[in-house]
């Protein structure tokens, strides 16, 4: 794995791709950074300017609203004649000193002078009597005193100025509607303003909250943005946060939050200001969107460059890789490969030169080695021909018949089993045989085991599907495993023992043959050593040439998926499982 990684990092493909990416990404990166700073700066300035313009709009319109109701409150000095409303308190016709009809006309004129005025109340200074008119003919709650004490105190402190009270509920009318109250004292100015002041009473105007809500709708604030109208005493007269109306505006605590930006514009008419708290995420969201767009464009450009780099690098390196694959085949001994590269550049010339080199190599091998190989093969065939299998079979048969003639049938049976085994082993036929023939050979072998150990070791074969007898398997894969089970499992334990062979279909197209023994078993250390031996781990010195031979033959014939799997437990026994592809005789012949 390390070698493959090393080759990749040093390959021409990697170097071409890396160079292509670097050359393409440097200008893209520079352009992205410049565009990002330029666009985000413009968007930030544009957003801040819009917010400031919105606050200027709020400030101007709020000033107009306050001036409008200030002018309305001054109508008492321009429209009515005070002497037509306030009479001599000793008059029998007006015992309270007030012409009620004239007072009602005066209050009604004030009420209908503006559509946002909800209630008009006049509180006489001498006896605190209240004269009121309201939209919807509402009546004041007799159980609630009017005006509240704090209002009365503020008005008496500044009798010559307009007093503004933040939005509140109309509790004195038994209503929960929000209104802002403007209050102005009516002072006797017939002989100029004198001290002490001669006060007729105080006029109160309740203004509907909609007069300022309309401004907010045009401002188009975000969900987290806040607007405050604050007077000179930092009292909050109005806000889109209803729960903050009437409280004090603490700019220090707001600055400590860190998630808001503060903007403000003055409202000279009330010596106050309009304050906007704008969430930073709302200001920077267009900037963030622009950043995302720029980075997305950069990423897409990078992906496009990456793909193009791979394509161009592959186009340049594909002939080289093609030539390398053919070189590997030549190294493995296949000299019949010809490199087909139909190009007229340097790679085409290199391929033609490689083909000529391979042709000359083939000629050299044919001249220098083929004759020697043929000579060695002829000597080997001559050596093999010296062995006469039929002569050996006939000799064993003569010995067997002699034993039977002398009455020793046991020896005759043993010689017969040995003869069959020898014939099966040195038969130069196909390497693959039916499972039925392999089991027959195994029984001949085990017959000698039973005779040798006085029938203390027995063999059992459990065939779970008769069709499996027709399966084609490698020759001589069972006898080494059974021999290993007898000599390394049962014999060291002593006493009787059993070798069980289970033949079954374990999966679609896969057959399993398991050899069990109830012998001595192996501990974890021996099992690990045996498994390392099968896996060709260096440094192992386990005996088990027969098992390893079977394992490697199976893998060589069928592939890495198949082979031996060994399990063992001390003093219980060992199982060796063979996995083979299920190939019946008909399928094998068709292949």
């Amino acid at each position: 794995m390390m070698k493959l990684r090393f080759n990749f990092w040093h390959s021409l493909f990697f170097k071409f791709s890396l160079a292509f990416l670097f050359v393409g990404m440097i200008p893209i990166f520079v352009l992205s950074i410049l565009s990002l700073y330029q666009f985000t700066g413009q968007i930030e300035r544009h957003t801040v300017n819009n917010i400031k313009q919105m606050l200027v709009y709020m400030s101007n319109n709020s000033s107009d609203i306050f001036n409008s109701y200030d002018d309305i409150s001054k109508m008492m000095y321009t429209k009515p004649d005070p002497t037509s409303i306030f009479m001599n308190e000793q008059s029998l016709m007006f015992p309270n000193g007030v012409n009620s009809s004239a007072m009602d006309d005066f209050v009604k004129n004030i009420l209908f002078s503006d559509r946002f005025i909800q209630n008009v109340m006049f509180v006489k200074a001498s006896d605190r009597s209240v004269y009121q008119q309201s939209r919807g003919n509402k009546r004041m709650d007799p159980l609630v005193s009017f005006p509240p004490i704090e209002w009365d105190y503020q008005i008496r402190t500044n009798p010559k100025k307009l007093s503004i009270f933040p939005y509140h509920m109309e509790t004195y009318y038994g209503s929960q509607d929000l209104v802002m109250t403007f209050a102005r004292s009516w002072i006797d100015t017939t002989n100029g303003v004198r001290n002490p002041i001669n006060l007729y009473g105080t006029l109160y105007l309740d203004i509907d909250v909609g007069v300022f809500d309309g401004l907010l709708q045009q401002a188009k604030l975000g969900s987290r943005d806040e607007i405050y109208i604050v007077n000179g005493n930092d009292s909050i007269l109005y806000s889109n946060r209803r729960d903050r109306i009437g409280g004090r505006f603490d700019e220090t605590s707001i600055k400590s939050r860190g998630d808001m930006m503060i903007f403000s514009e003055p409202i000279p008419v009330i010596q106050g200001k309009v304050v906007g708290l704008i969430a930073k995420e709302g200001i920077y969201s267009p900037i963030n969107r622009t950043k995302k767009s720029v980075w997305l464009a950069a990423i897409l450009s990078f992906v496009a460059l990456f793909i193009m780099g791979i394509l161009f690098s592959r186009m340049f390196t594909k002939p080289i890789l093609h030539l390398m694959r053919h070189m590997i085949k030549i190294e493995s001994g296949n000299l019949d490969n010809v490199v087909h590269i139909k190009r007229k550049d340097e790679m085409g010339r290199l391929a033609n030169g490689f083909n000529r080199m391979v042709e000359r190599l083939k000629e050299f091998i044919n001249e220098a080695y083929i004759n020697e190989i043929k000579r060695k093969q002829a000597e080997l065939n001559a050596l093999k021909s010296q062995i006469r299998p039929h002569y050996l079979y006939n000799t064993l048969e003569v010995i067997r018949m002699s034993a039977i003639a002398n009455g020793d049938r046991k020896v005759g049976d043993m010689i017969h089993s040995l003869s069959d085994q020898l014939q099966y082993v040195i038969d130069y036929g196909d390497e693959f045989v039916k499972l039925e023939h392999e089991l027959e050979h195994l029984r001949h072998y085990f017959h000698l085991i039973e005779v040798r150990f006085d029938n203390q070791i027995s063999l059992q074969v459990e065939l779970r599907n008769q069709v499996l007898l027709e399966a084609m398997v490698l020759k001589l894969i069972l006898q080494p495993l059974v021999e290993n089970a007898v000599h390394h499992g049962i014999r060291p334990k002593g006493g009787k023992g059993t070798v069980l062979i289970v033949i079954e279909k374990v999966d679609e197209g896969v057959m399993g043959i398991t050899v069990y023994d109830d012998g001595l078993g192996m501990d974890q250390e021996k099992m690990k050593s045996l498994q390392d031996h099968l896996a060709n781990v260096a440094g192992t010195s386990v005996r088990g040439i027969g098992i390893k031979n079977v394992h490697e033959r199976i893998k060589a014939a069928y592939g890495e998926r198949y082979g031996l799997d060994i399990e063992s437990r001390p003093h219980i026994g060992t199982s060796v499982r063979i996995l083979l592809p299920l190939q019946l005789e008909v399928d094998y012949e068709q292949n």
Side-chain angles (χ1 to χ4, degrees):
M1 191 67 183
M2 290 299 294
K3 184 177 180 181
L4 291 176
R5 190 179 296 115
F6 177 84
N7 290 339
F8 174 77
W9 295 124
H10 291 80
S11 64
L12 288 176
F13 174 80
F14 174 77
K15 293 176 181 178
F16 275 135
S17 301
L18 191 63
F20 195 92
L21 288 178
F22 268 111
V23 171
M25 282 305 298
I26 289 175
I28 290 178
F29 179 79
V30 173
L31 290 175
S32 299
I33 295 297
L34 293 177
S35 301
L36 192 62
Y37 277 105
Q38 184 176 2
F39 291 159
T40 54
Q42 290 179 355
I43 292 174
E44 185 173 1
R45 290 191 295 271
H46 177 72
T47 304
V48 171
N49 288 336
N50 286 343
I51 294 173
K52 289 182 178 180
Q53 291 177 7
M54 184 255 306
L55 288 181
V56 170
Y57 168 82
M58 290 283 295
S59 174
N60 293 336
N61 283 276
S62 299
S63 295
D64 293 340
I65 291 172
F66 287 119
N67 285 324
S68 173
Y69 291 113
D70 183 49
D71 294 337
I72 292 174
S73 69
K74 292 178 181 177
M75 288 174 60
M76 66 180 82
Y77 292 104
T78 58
K79 296 292 183 182
D81 183 4
T83 60
S84 66
I85 298 177
F86 302 103
M87 302 297 180
N88 186 353
E89 295 186 1
Q90 303 299 324
S91 174
L92 296 177
M93 185 174 181
F94 304 104
N96 294 327
V98 175
N99 186 342
S100 299
S101 177
M103 176 62 77
D104 287 341
D105 290 341
F106 165 68
V107 172
K108 283 182 180 179
N109 286 334
I110 298 293
L111 177 67
F112 292 106
S113 65
D114 186 88
R115 64 188 181 93
F116 291 104
I117 299 177
Q118 299 298 308
N119 312 298
V120 179
M121 292 79 67
F122 185 85
V123 180
K124 188 181 176 185
S126 59
D127 59 2
R128 312 299 293 173
S129 57
V130 181
Y131 302 87
Q132 63 89 28
Q133 290 290 337
S134 64
R135 296 181 187 271
N137 295 320
K138 294 181 290 185
R139 292 297 173 186
M140 298 186 72
D141 189 345
L143 300 179
V144 179
S145 62
F146 185 87
I149 296 175
E150 59 272 16
W151 292 10
D152 191 60
Y153 173 78
Q154 180 176 339
I155 293 171
R156 289 181 180 275
T157 303
N158 298 292
K160 298 179 182 180
K161 294 183 179 181
L162 177 69
S163 297
I164 303 174
F165 302 103
Y167 275 106
H168 56 87
M169 290 187 293
E170 297 175 308
T171 54
Y172 38 86
Y173 278 100
S175 171
Q176 295 184 350
D177 294 338
L178 289 177
V179 292
M180 179 183 289
T181 302
F182 291 72
R184 180 180 290 279
S185 296
W186 194 350
I187 301 172
D188 183 6
T189 60
T190 54
N191 295 319
V193 179
R194 296 173 297 175
N195 288 317
I197 296 174
N198 183 20
L199 186 67
Y200 292 125
T202 303
L203 179 68
Y204 295 89
L205 308 178
D206 284 347
I207 310 303
D208 186 12
V209 71
V211 68
F212 287 104
D213 285 346
L215 297 180
L216 285 181
Q217 293 176 359
Q218 298 178 22
K220 297 180 180 180
L221 298 174
S223 59
R224 293 188 57 204
D225 298 340
E226 302 174 10
I227 289 291
Y228 297 93
I229 296 177
V230 183
N231 63 13
N233 297 325
D234 289 333
S235 295
I236 299 175
L237 301 179
Y238 173 80
S239 174
N240 60 339
R241 289 278 304 274
R242 297 289 193 256
D243 57 325
R244 300 292 302 276
I245 296 178
R248 294 191 62 79
F249 182 79
D250 188 358
E251 186 170 338
T252 304
S253 63
I254 293 174
K255 287 181 178 179
S256 64
R257 290 168 54 181
D259 60 340
M260 293 288 188
M261 294 186 67
I262 302 177
F263 301 86
S264 65
E265 287 291 331
I267 305 178
V269 67
I270 60 172
Q271 288 80 44
K273 57 187 175 181
V274 56
V275 181
L277 301 183
I278 309 301
K280 290 183 178 180
E281 65 179 29
I283 295 177
Y284 292 107
S285 59
I287 298 175
N288 293 332
R289 286 195 296 270
T290 302
K291 288 182 178 179
K292 290 180 180 179
S293 300
V294 172
W295 286 120
L296 179 61
I299 292 172
L300 292 177
S301 300
F302 176 81
V303 172
L305 280 173
F306 182 78
I307 295 174
M308 292 176 63
I310 291 177
L311 293 177
F312 278 106
S313 300
R314 179 63 65 186
M315 181 180 67
F316 292 140
T317 59
K318 185 178 179 180
I320 300 175
L321 295 176
H322 182 63
L323 181 60
M324 289 176 60
R325 284 193 291 268
H326 282 276
M327 289 175 62
I328 293 173
K329 293 179 181 179
I330 298 297
E331 288 177 358
S332 64
N334 187 358
L335 300 179
D336 294 327
N337 277 281
V338 178
V339 181
H340 297 284
I341 299 180
K342 297 180 180 179
R343 299 170 63 126
K344 297 182 179 180
D345 54 8
E346 290 79 1
M347 286 305 305
R349 296 177 62 184
L350 182 61
N352 292 331
F354 181 80
N355 290 333
R356 289 194 300 270
M357 181 190 69
V358 173
E359 288 295 330
R360 292 179 181 177
L361 181 62
K362 286 171 62 176
E363 293 175 0
F364 176 80
I365 291 175
N366 289 332
E367 293 175 0
Y369 293 101
I370 294 299
N371 292 332
E372 181 67 19
I373 292 174
K374 289 181 177 180
R375 186 180 64 81
K376 293 292 185 181
Q377 187 65 41
E379 292 178 356
L380 181 60
N381 292 334
L383 182 61
K384 288 182 179 180
S385 66
Q386 293 176 4
I387 301 174
R388 301 295 183 180
H390 293 290
Y391 172 79
L392 186 57
Y393 303 152
N394 294 336
T395 302
L396 289 175
E397 185 65 19
V398 170
I399 296 173
R400 185 179 74 86
M401 293 306 296
S402 299
I404 293 175
N406 293 330
D408 197 344
R409 181 169 294 277
K410 183 176 181 180
V411 175
D413 292 339
M414 293 174 63
I415 294 174
H416 180 68
S417 297
L418 178 60
S419 175
D420 288 340
Q421 288 183 68
L422 187 60
Q423 181 179 5
Y424 184 80
V425 169
I426 66 176
D427 186 4
Y428 294 112
D430 292 335
E431 188 178 359
F432 293 89
V433 296
K434 287 184 180 180
L435 179 60
E436 180 181 9
H437 297 159
E438 183 72 4
L439 290 175
E440 182 181 357
H441 165 69
L442 181 63
R443 290 189 180 94
H444 288 304
Y445 166 76
F446 211 83
H447 176 67
L448 298 178
I449 296 296
E450 290 173 338
V451 173
R452 178 182 176 186
F453 298 111
D454 296 328
N455 293 318
Q456 288 188 342
I457 303 176
S458 61
L459 174 68
Q460 296 181 10
V461 178
E462 182 179 332
L463 181 65
R464 297 185 177 175
N465 192 333
Q466 291 294 327
V467 178
L468 297 178
L469 290 175
E470 300 296 323
M472 302 299 293
V473 299
L474 276 172
K475 183 191 289 188
L476 294 174
I477 59 173
L478 292 181
Q479 182 267 334
L481 303 184
V482 173
E483 181 179 357
N484 193 73
V486 171
H487 291 288
H488 297 286
I490 298 176
R491 286 291 297 158
K493 183 186 73 170
K496 294 185 178 182
T498 302
V499 177
L500 172 63
I501 298 177
V502 178
I503 304 170
E504 59 187 340
K505 181 180 179 182
V506 297
D507 201 354
E508 186 65 30
V510 180
M511 177 177 65
I513 303 174
T514 307
V515 179
Y516 298 92
D517 70 73
D518 54 0
L520 191 62
M522 290 181 286
D523 55 22
Q524 291 295 326
E525 184 178 354
K526 290 183 178 179
M527 271 293 299
K528 178 68 167 54
S529 180
L530 181 57
Q531 290 172 349
D532 290 344
H533 181 60
L534 293 181
N536 289 322
V537 175
T540 58
S541 59
V542 176
R543 294 184 179 180
I545 298 176
I547 292 181
K548 182 175 178 62
N549 179 269
V550 172
H551 181 67
E552 292 181 348
R553 287 176 61 208
I554 292 174
K555 284 190 174 296
Y558 301 115
E560 291 296 324
R561 178 184 177 186
Y562 305 98
L564 301 185
D565 184 20
I566 303 175
E567 294 183 3
S568 183
R569 296 182 62 184
H571 309 295
I572 294 178
T574 304
S575 67
V576 181
R577 189 182 198 188
I578 307 174
L579 284 181
L580 300 171
L582 179 55
Q583 295 180 339
L584 300 179
E585 184 180 13
V586 176
D587 300 332
Y588 180 79
E589 291 177 353
Q590 290 178 351
N591 292 334

